[in-house]
Every structure is written in structure tokens, then in C-alpha cells.
Amino acid sequence: MKEFILKANKSATSGDINIKDLPGSAGRLDLVCRCVNSSFFLSHDLRRDTVFYSVHYGEPNAPVALKFIGDELKRLSPDERSIALFIKKALEKDSSKLWKESTSGIYTAKKEFRDIIVEKKNENYRIFYLHLNGKPLEEYNLKLDKDNGNDEDVLFVLGDHIGIGEEDEKFLDELGAERISLSPVELHADHCIILMHNALDKLKK
Ligand SMILES: C[S@@+](CC[C@H](N)C(=O)[O-])C[C@H]1O[C@@H](n2cnc3c(N)ncnc32)[C@H](O)[C@@H]1O
């Protein structure tokens, strides 16, 4: 499984969202929507082998985690407004420690960013932190196949416009996360997802 997790430092944690003001009062929800687009949408298809998480730390109810499962998504279209409406619906529900489905393939839970990463580590996922100053992707010699020919389970960690912060960087270091740099210039998180997908797609050809 290929999974991405975004720390959305300012994104809304209730359904009280103005869809016309995603970058402002909704706390950069535009960025979350673009990451959903980049995670899943192909031309006339969806990436069914991908899962995307965003963990929101904005007002009024932080944290709230969202999980999108490619294999289960239905009726979602690639435009930001459509994605934002599904997110609004999910955030309108009360969240608890366990994942609860809002609409097909979209779940919410009251989970911290770190909780999800630890869960993945315990499930033997390989954890990568996408970072400007990481080891260049080309030097990684990525071989994401297990010996039995199945894909290795991988989680890619991303920050938003603010980043993930020093404490969470330290947490990732202690967890043994590997830092990958995708470019010598700083990119938007959604563009990093596209580049990462592209690199993995090429490994399969
Ligand atoms: C707009 S950048 C964040 C900028 C923020 N000021 C910071 O200090 O982290 C959004 C995220 O994209 C990822 N990113 C940006 N440029 C990257 C690069 N060249 N290689 C790998 N990941 C990158 C990182 O995960 C980063 O947190």
C-alpha cells in the first residue's frame, strides 16, 4: 500500500466551513483538497492502491484526522469544491478514537498525526519524510518490492505551508524515518505527491 499523511496545521476541525474561503477562514483547506486530488486522480481513473490522511489542527476541535481510501472512493470529482464539500460533510460528524465512515471511502477519527505514523510503523510500513534537504530521490535506489514480488508498504509524511515543526521532525528521526528530497527547490505538498507517484509508477514499468 502507498500512503501519504499531511499535517494540516491550521485546517478546520468542524463542518462550519465557508466553501468560498478555503485558503482563509477554513485554514488552508485548499491545500488539503489539492493533496486529495494529487493522491488519487488519474485521467479517467483513480489510484485505488493509495490512502491519504490529513490531520487537522485548526479551530475549534483539534485534532481531527481524515482518511481517504482510494479503493472505496465514490462520486468524488477532482475539483477543489467537490472535494471540500465531502470534507465538510466528514467534519460535520462527531469523531471518536476509532475511524468512522462519513461517505464512501472517507473516514474521520480523533487521532493525532503521530498516532497514525506510529500505527503504520507497527504495521511494518517503511516511513519516509519528504523534505527539501533529504537524500535526493535518485540516490535512494528505491526498490519498493518485497521479496515475494508484492509492493512494500510505504508511508510518505508531508508538511503544509508551515511544515511539520521541530518536535515532529525529532519524533520522525527517532522513529527512523528516512528523509527523501524530490527537488533542490521547495515545492508544494500536493506537487510532491505527484512527483512521488510518478517515481513509483516508473519503478513498475
Ligand atoms: C511548502 S513546503 C513547506 C514549507 C515550510 N516552510 C517548511 O519549512 O517545511 C510543504 C511540504 O512539502 C514537502 N516538500 C517541499 N519541498 C520538497 C522537496 N524539495 N523535496 C521533498 N519534499 C518537499 C515537505 O514535506 C514540506 O513540509
Side-chain angles (χ1 to χ4, degrees):
M1 192 61 82
K2 241 184 302 177
E3 308 202 355
F4 295 89
I5 183 167
L6 173 78
K7 185 176 181 192
N9 292 285
K10 302 286 181 194
S11 291
T13 48
S14 86
D16 187 15
I17 290 166
N18 178 357
I19 294 290
K20 291 187 181 153
D21 188 25
L22 298 178
S25 54
R28 294 309 313 267
L29 204 62
D30 61 318
L31 175 59
V32 176
C33 294
R34 286 200 295 276
C35 284
V36 172
N37 171 305
S38 300
S39 295
F40 298 107
F41 286 94
L42 293 166
S43 179
H44 303 295
D45 204 359
L46 281 177
R47 292 185 181 273
R48 313 241 172 235
D49 63 346
T50 299
V51 173
F52 172 76
Y53 302 88
S54 59
V55 188
H56 298 197
Y57 283 92
E59 295 293 331
N61 193 26
V64 175
L66 296 177
K67 173 163 74 165
F68 299 76
I69 301 184
D71 196 31
E72 300 177 13
L73 290 172
K74 290 201 178 90
R75 294 184 300 280
L76 193 67
S77 354
D79 61 287
E80 274 176 41
R81 188 170 184 281
S82 155
I83 296 169
L85 285 170
F86 278 93
I87 291 178
K88 180 175 163 65
K89 206 175 277 184
L91 292 173
E92 278 164 359
K93 307 241 158 71
D94 285 337
S95 51
S96 65
K97 281 278 168 206
L98 296 178
W99 291 110
K100 259 195 304 200
E101 191 167 29
S102 162
T103 48
S104 193
I106 305 178
Y107 298 76
T108 56
K110 192 117 201 85
K111 283 183 191 279
E112 299 276 358
F113 178 65
R114 292 185 191 185
D115 294 341
I116 296 171
I117 297 172
V118 169
E119 279 172 22
K120 294 292 143 186
K121 182 77 183 172
N122 291 340
E123 290 169 19
N124 285 328
Y125 276 58
R126 196 167 166 193
I127 313 285
F128 294 97
Y129 174 31
L130 299 184
H131 191 278
L132 173 64
N133 297 323
K135 182 163 147 182
L137 178 63
E138 301 73 33
E139 288 176 25
Y140 255 98
N141 189 19
L142 274 186
K143 270 202 348 222
L144 296 180
D145 283 339
K146 285 180 185 161
D147 293 343
N148 61 11
N150 292 325
D151 284 351
E152 187 174 30
D153 293 322
V154 284
L155 176 72
F156 298 101
V157 180
L158 291 147
D160 63 1
H161 59 300
I162 296 170
I164 67 167
E166 268 177 37
E167 286 298 309
D168 280 336
E169 289 199 333
K170 197 164 154 239
F171 156 79
L172 285 176
D173 285 343
E174 285 168 5
L175 206 72
E178 301 163 77
R179 290 191 185 201
I180 295 187
S181 176
L182 296 171
S183 159
V185 293
E186 190 156 77
L187 305 166
H188 288 288
D190 55 319
H191 297 167
C192 291
I193 294 173
I194 297 276
L195 288 178
M196 204 60 240
H197 268 317
N198 184 52
L200 298 178
D201 290 343
K202 285 180 181 166
L203 285 179
K204 300 218 161 179
K205 296 286 171 201

